[in-house]
Amino acid sequence: MAEYILGLSAYYHDSAAALLRDGVIVAAAHEERFTRKKHDASFPRKAAAYVLEEGGVGLSDLAAVAFYDKPYLKFERLMETYHGFAPRGVVSFLAAMPVWIKEKLFMKKMLREELARLGRGRPRILFPEHHLSHAASAFYPSPFDEAAILTIDGVGEWSTTTIGVGRGKDITFLRELDFPHSLGLLYSAFTYYCGFKVNSGEYKLMGLAPYGIAGSERVETYKQKILDELVDLRPDGSMLLNMAYFDYATGLTMCRDGKWERLFGLPKRAGESELSQEHMDMALAIQEVTEDVVMLLAKTARELSGCKNLVMAGGVALNCVANGKLLRAGVFDDIWIQPAAGDAGGALGAALAAHHVWAGHERAPLPEGAMDRMAGSYLGPEFTRRDALRVASRNDAPCDAYDDFDALCVRVADLLADGKVVGWFQGRMEYGPRALGGRSILGDPRNPEMQKKLNLKIKYREGFRPFAPSVLAEAVSECFEQDRPSPYMLLVAPVAEKLRFDLPEGYWQKPMFDRLYVERSKLPAITHVDFSARIQTVHAATNPRYHKLISTFNARHGCPVVVNTSFNVRGEPIVCTPWDAYRCFMRTEMDYLVIGDCLFDKEKQPEFAESGDWRDEYELD
């Protein structure tokens, strides 16, 4: 009989569920996509119900349920931390303990109660450690038979960083850095101080960093203060944080604002307020320190493991700027990063750890022609033409249903070239934080107004944020300084020199948006202020429809690249269903929507009857 294992992550942020059949991923999804609550931390009831339905199984068919960390170890860390910092932290202690005593200390019982709502059955519940879940999510789906493993995040139970090695079905940990010393929490402290939300705004800090003036006196001064006062960084990449400056261990905020203001001569930025050059320079300083730490850790991993390839997971592995620089440094021959590198990916990792470590199964050979075992990360729900037409009927929404997909691609390619913004809803939903052409909003990267239009009229988000290119895999080296695939949008690389324009005199002295709106290349909508781009290579084997669309755009308009941003507005999870897509389409200034083979034209749609304002529905992230 087939062995089914359900993996779960929950109760911190980005809850998710994943299902394996004999070690092969059947389905995986974030709870937020179903509940429409971004970073939903609740038990992933709807995601779990979906993956079980996708697998055609119930609880009674499961060999095990694997939860992504060990609650007792986490409780031990909390208790020892509060004791070690006492009397500081009494307010945090009093807030945290009732929840632990009432619920989290009895996690198995709580999970049993939640699972019972999904149906009959009493499968065994396993609790792999948090960083084993991360390591398993990185190594087992990777294309490598042997690899060094680097996991970096805020904190699991005790670990904040681990170095390990994977060989066959086995994972061995070689080094570990423990709480409170954490690169992830250090980066989150700067996220907080620069006015963004912790656990959701770190990617904004990364996007802000290129606006800092590299090599400037202020950036170098900030970096030196970080390394002199905040971080004792060792040659192997390990670190000690000066906890006199931080409050996250026992407090209710990330850092001690007054001490930071005295250290940097810069007050904490209020959320949504104007960004100063000082905060841009601070973002660049911590980004460069982060890159240095990742590089040192990778060199240590190479030395300890002796492996030529590296796999990565944990929230810091989503720092695609650091990933790109690490790849180009040549420390390893190749790098593979779990597309759901954060806590959502822990659900998959927990299930894989159960299959290979607990049950002892060997890894199956890599499928012929496959880049890895993630199926392009298209692991969520899929919908039919009937579902699209049902949404059209429900809303009296006219649409053109195409029987010839090639003809639809021609139409959409021409719309993009005409400056239109198109919602693109196809196939299975992506697992992980990136939209990869299943639930995407598309534009023409050659259009100098596209970046501004997408930010301000479609996404309703901060105008400084960059957009990513989706490029035909076979054309990536024509457009970017990148010589290998990047299917999960986890590597940043420079735009090809031949596509760049010279910067005007005094460019770096201009205000932020004056710099942003300078045309820096022939692909202005995806070229960041430092000539970088976060690349997604598109492959016919994993997403033939998206590949066909971009190929058609290239054939008709001479460009193998489209702008790709996630199908949502600020504060909203990526859309999951055709109804989610139509509602987002109608709430924004998007021009066209494609759901499967159906094309909706905004100008032909009836007035949207839904009352209320989406800005009241979603909390800004």
Side-chain angles (χ1 to χ4, degrees):
M1 292 180 63
E3 177 201 78
Y4 289 93
I5 295 176
L6 175 67
L8 302 173
S9 65
Y11 305 125
Y12 183 47
H13 61 90
D14 295 304
S15 296
L19 181 70
L20 303 182
R21 182 184 190 274
D22 293 333
V24 176
I25 307 169
V26 174
H30 300 236
E31 183 70 1
E32 66 165 22
R33 310 290 168 84
F34 302 92
T35 63
R36 312 310 298 155
K37 179 182 177 183
K38 195 157 189 179
H39 304 301
D40 195 339
S42 63
F43 179 83
R45 189 180 308 160
K46 294 185 176 183
Y50 155 68
V51 300
L52 291 171
E53 181 182 4
E54 187 71 32
V57 296
L59 286 183
S60 60
D61 301 304
L62 300 179
V65 173
F67 188 73
Y68 81 132
D69 68 12
K70 288 184 178 293
Y72 284 133
L73 274 182
K74 185 173 286 188
F75 183 70
E76 175 191 79
R77 186 252 298 170
L78 288 172
M79 292 302 291
E80 289 195 20
T81 300
Y82 284 124
H83 180 266
F85 283 86
R88 281 177 57 194
V90 64
V91 174
S92 175
F93 176 83
L94 292 174
M97 285 306 103
V99 177
W100 275 92
I101 292 170
K102 182 181 178 182
E103 297 177 355
K104 294 186 179 180
L105 277 179
F106 306 98
M107 183 66 77
K108 183 174 284 190
K109 179 177 181 291
M110 189 160 64
L111 290 175
R112 285 267 180 235
E113 291 172 352
E114 289 287 358
L115 289 168
R117 300 183 186 189
L118 296 173
R120 294 184 177 182
R122 193 176 173 84
R124 183 165 183 170
I125 299 179
L126 306 173
F127 294 92
E129 290 188 9
H130 185 92
H131 275 262
L132 174 58
S133 296
H134 277 322
S137 79
F139 177 59
Y140 293 125
S142 79
F144 309 132
D145 295 327
E146 177 180 284
I149 305 171
L150 182 58
T151 69
I152 317 171
D153 67 0
V155 62
E157 297 88 2
W158 278 103
S159 300
T160 65
T161 301
T162 67
I163 293 173
V165 61
R167 292 188 174 95
K169 67 177 177 60
D170 300 318
I171 289 175
T172 304
F173 288 106
L174 306 173
R175 291 277 176 88
E176 178 181 307
L177 182 66
D178 285 347
F179 184 85
H181 309 294
S182 167
L183 179 59
L185 292 173
L186 174 67
Y187 201 85
S188 289
F190 278 88
T191 300
Y192 160 83
Y193 204 73
C194 288
F196 304 120
K197 285 192 176 181
V198 173
N199 290 330
S200 69
E202 283 77 6
Y203 62 96
K204 297 184 187 182
L205 190 69
M206 183 180 67
L208 182 65
Y211 292 93
I213 301 174
S216 66
E217 181 179 354
R218 183 159 51 219
V219 169
E220 295 305 311
T221 298
Y222 285 165
K223 286 173 63 178
Q224 200 59 51
K225 287 180 182 291
I226 293 169
L227 295 172
D228 286 347
E229 300 294 334
L230 299 185
V231 183
D232 179 3
L233 178 61
R234 308 300 172 81
D236 64 355
S238 62
M239 63 171 67
L240 294 173
L241 298 188
N242 182 352
M243 295 307 296
Y245 283 91
F246 298 92
D247 201 37
Y248 59 76
T250 56
L252 301 176
T253 59
M254 289 303 299
C255 57
R256 305 181 77 177
D257 296 0
K259 289 182 71 70
W260 278 52
E261 184 170 349
R262 289 190 292 273
L263 176 63
F264 292 107
L266 177 67
K268 179 188 180 298
R269 173 180 170 258
E272 306 303 314
S273 65
E274 186 176 349
L275 283 157
S276 69
Q277 186 61 50
E278 287 82 0
H279 286 105
M280 300 175 213
D281 290 341
M282 177 175 276
L284 178 58
I286 188 56
Q287 175 64 33
E288 290 185 353
V289 169
T290 298
E291 293 162 10
D292 291 343
V293 176
V294 170
M295 195 74 69
L296 290 172
L297 289 168
K299 289 177 179 177
T300 301
R302 177 72 194 245
E303 180 182 339
L304 292 175
S305 70
C307 297
K308 64 180 182 179
N309 296 312
L310 174 70
V311 298
M312 298 175 67
V316 177
L318 294 172
N319 192 308
C320 46
V321 178
N323 297 341
K325 291 184 178 179
L326 177 58
L327 178 65
R328 289 190 293 279
V331 177
F332 289 90
D333 292 357
D334 206 356
I335 299 172
W336 191 89
I337 304 155
Q338 166 55 238
D343 274 12
L348 174 60
L352 289 165
H355 179 74
H356 294 291
V357 179
W358 172 68
H361 296 299
E362 298 290 339
R363 293 169 80 197
L366 190 69
E368 185 176 353
M371 291 184 293
D372 54 38
R373 297 168 175 85
M374 285 296 294
S377 214
Y378 304 106
L379 299 169
E382 184 173 17
F383 298 87
T384 65
R385 175 185 284 204
R386 180 178 295 179
D387 295 316
L389 293 176
R390 188 177 294 120
V391 167
S393 175
R394 169 183 171 183
N395 292 278
D396 295 322
C399 68
D400 296 323
Y402 283 73
D403 294 321
D404 182 351
F405 185 70
D406 288 358
L408 175 60
C409 286
V410 167
R411 175 72 171 133
V412 174
D414 290 348
L415 290 171
L416 292 172
D418 195 35
K420 306 301 183 185
V421 174
V422 179
W424 183 254
F425 183 106
Q426 299 287 338
R428 297 186 71 174
M429 181 179 67
E430 301 89 339
Y431 179 52
R434 313 291 189 217
L436 302 171
R439 306 289 186 273
S440 293
I441 298 172
L442 310 180
D444 185 345
R446 303 166 302 172
N447 187 326
E449 298 299 315
M450 187 56 61
Q451 193 268 357
K452 182 188 295 186
K453 180 177 182 179
L454 285 170
N455 266 334
L456 302 182
K457 294 187 176 183
I458 311 298
K459 302 282 284 188
Y460 303 117
R461 68 184 199 181
E462 302 95 335
F464 73 84
R465 290 167 58 184
F467 288 101
S470 291
V471 57
L472 297 174
E474 54 269 31
V476 63
S477 296
E478 298 174 21
C479 303
F480 306 97
E481 294 180 7
Q482 175 88 11
D483 63 354
R484 64 196 73 195
S486 176
Y488 304 120
M489 208 183 284
L490 288 171
L491 297 171
V492 162
V495 171
E497 190 78 37
K498 66 182 180 181
L499 299 180
R500 301 185 201 177
F501 301 145
D502 292 335
L503 296 176
E505 187 175 348
Y507 174 78
W508 287 106
Q509 285 68 52
K510 292 177 180 290
M512 169 189 264
F513 288 104
D514 288 355
R515 273 178 273 165
L516 176 61
Y517 298 136
V518 167
E519 284 193 51
R520 291 171 295 280
S521 81
K522 294 180 180 179
L523 302 173
I526 56 87
T527 303
H528 207 5
V529 291
D530 60 349
F531 291 108
S532 67
R534 189 181 70 197
I535 300 166
Q536 179 204 359
T537 53
V538 180
H539 303 258
T542 53
N543 196 333
R545 286 192 156 219
Y546 196 33
H547 189 274
K548 178 65 177 179
L549 172 65
I550 303 174
S551 297
T552 304
F553 186 66
N554 187 36
R556 293 180 67 81
H557 303 288
C559 182
V561 181
V562 297
V563 181
N564 172 16
T565 187
S566 56
F567 201 146
N568 60 335
V569 294
R570 185 181 176 191
E572 179 189 18
I574 295 172
V575 300
C576 176
T577 68
W579 165 240
D580 297 335
Y582 184 78
R583 182 172 58 172
C584 185
F585 168 62
M586 292 302 295
R587 286 173 159 182
T588 68
E589 296 181 51
M590 220 178 300
D591 300 300
Y592 288 83
L593 168 64
V594 179
I595 303 177
D597 299 317
C598 299
L599 177 68
F600 297 79
D601 180 343
K602 176 65 69 63
E603 292 186 353
K604 296 179 180 178
Q605 301 307 304
E607 183 178 352
F608 195 49
E610 191 175 56
S611 61
D613 191 326
W614 67 265
R615 296 168 184 82
D616 299 326
E617 182 177 343
Y618 302 122
E619 181 181 348
L620 294 183
D621 60 357

